[in-house]
Amino acid sequence: MAAATVKGQVFLLATAQALFQTASVMVMTIGGLAGGQIASRPELATMPVAAMFLGTAITMLPASLWMARIGRKTGFIAGALLGTSGGLLAAFGLWQSSLLLLSLGTFLVGSYQAFAQFYRFAAGEIADDAYRSRAISLVLGGGVVAALAGPLLAQAGGKLMVPPYMASFLLLALVSLIAAGILSRLHSPAPSAPTTTVQSGRTWREIVTQPAYLVALFAAATGYGIMILAMTATPIAMGHHQHEPSASTMVIQLHVLGMFLPSFFTGSLIARFGVMRIMMTGLALFGAHVTLALTGTGFVSFASALIMLGIGWNFLYIGGTTLLTTTYTSSEKGRAQATNDLTIFIVGLTCSFSAGGLLQYFGWQTLNMLLIPWIIIAVFVLLRFSVRHKRTVSSHRIG
């Protein structure tokens, strides 16, 4: 594929990434608020957000296997159309005051998210070795657009129709439909022909029990879990403390910018300082998030805490992914990546579903204090692995 064509296809995938993450951020921004206005109990308010992560966790492996047979393009378009259907169903659920239908709609949006997780891999497949890392970074950079557009569309739609937020989900359906149209212009490599030979490589157990694999998985899951728990609770907590919806929209925007803007230089930082130092920095930023959350419940406290949360997630998620790529061969990558991503989204599902109840029973500041033991355990795990890794490297050099 010509260089100009490759760059055009990468731009197409980056645009699709921006649209998908816009839809995802919309659910994160108003899912708990929409659920709270029809839920029978306050702790069920975040069920629509949890349903989105459940949809992602359940769909991810089947989506990967299906696209291996039919190709990326068809799978990506089907995923975007699931997002369209989910937005329409969620809007209908609000109109009917049905938390179940609303959550089924966001479940389909989560299925859309499962397909979209492979956009970055598609970029790597169409680019050559020299351009591959840049292509993947550009696709992930689409999240910057989502940081601005997602919360704005979510809140703008909140007042257009009655009941509130029904129009937000109709806008989500439109965004997903536009993504399907854009993806129809994708030219991805044809799926590999099936083979009858036995797949080479180690067993699944041998792969996932490697210390480096477990540390990489734990770091990425920690980053995702803590980020989802705090982010899901934020709009509801700000509402409890009398902040206007526009204020929570701005906080979510700043948070998502913190998540994705560093992507343009995190790889360079890892190359310069090492993956373990960057992941430890991510945990330090999570500690800063907790500290800032404890300074008060004003706008500045929420905003500064959520910015630290976003950057910390970026360092842990990209650092964990980078470390993970050192633990498997080409023939093992399917099983290794699927196990990693599925585990991460199960953690995200658990945290998103728990956010409403934890916030209801403990309040915003105590909820954040509950994150401290998790952060301390993660620091201990990374330090222990780092020390053992250095000893192993030293022993090899001596030998």
Side-chain angles (χ1 to χ4, degrees), residues 231-289:
M231 181 183 180
T232 303
T234 295
I236 302 173
M238 292 186 70
H240 289 171
H241 291 284
Q242 313 306 315
H243 290 279
E244 295 293 328
S246 58
S248 62
T249 297
M250 184 174 294
V251 167
I252 296 299
Q253 284 178 321
L254 293 171
H255 167 68
V256 180
L257 283 172
M259 289 174 63
F260 293 107
L261 272 178
S263 297
F264 296 108
F265 55 81
T266 302
S268 298
L269 292 175
I270 290 174
R272 180 174 181 179
F273 298 107
V275 66
M276 300 307 298
R277 289 182 180 178
I278 296 305
M279 288 194 292
M280 288 294 292
T281 302
L283 291 173
L285 289 167
F286 275 176
H289 158 79

Side-chain angles (χ1 to χ4, degrees), residues 59-76 78 114-115 118 121-122 125 188-195 199 330-331 333-335 337-338:
T59 309
M60 183 171 291
L61 183 57
S64 178
L65 296 175
W66 187 51
M67 285 192 291
R69 295 199 308 269
I70 55 91
R72 297 291 196 197
K73 179 177 178 178
T74 302
F76 289 164
F115 281 92
F118 296 93
F121 294 118
E125 291 162 3
S188 59
S192 302
T195 178
Q199 187 180 38
S330 178
S331 64
K333 67 180 181 181
R335 289 168 291 164
Q337 292 172 355

Side-chain angles (χ1 to χ4, degrees), residues 351-394:
C351 290
S352 61
F353 188 76
S354 303
L358 290 173
L359 184 64
Q360 176 69 20
Y361 289 115
F362 294 107
W364 170 248
Q365 293 183 321
T366 303
L367 180 150
N368 279 280
M369 290 180 66
L370 295 175
L371 300 176
I372 295 175
W374 192 350
I375 296 171
I376 291 174
I377 292 171
V379 169
F380 174 77
V381 168
L382 293 185
L383 285 175
R384 184 180 181 187
F385 173 78
S386 183
V387 170
R388 288 190 172 187
H389 179 68
K390 289 179 180 178
R391 287 176 180 173
T392 302
V393 171
S394 298

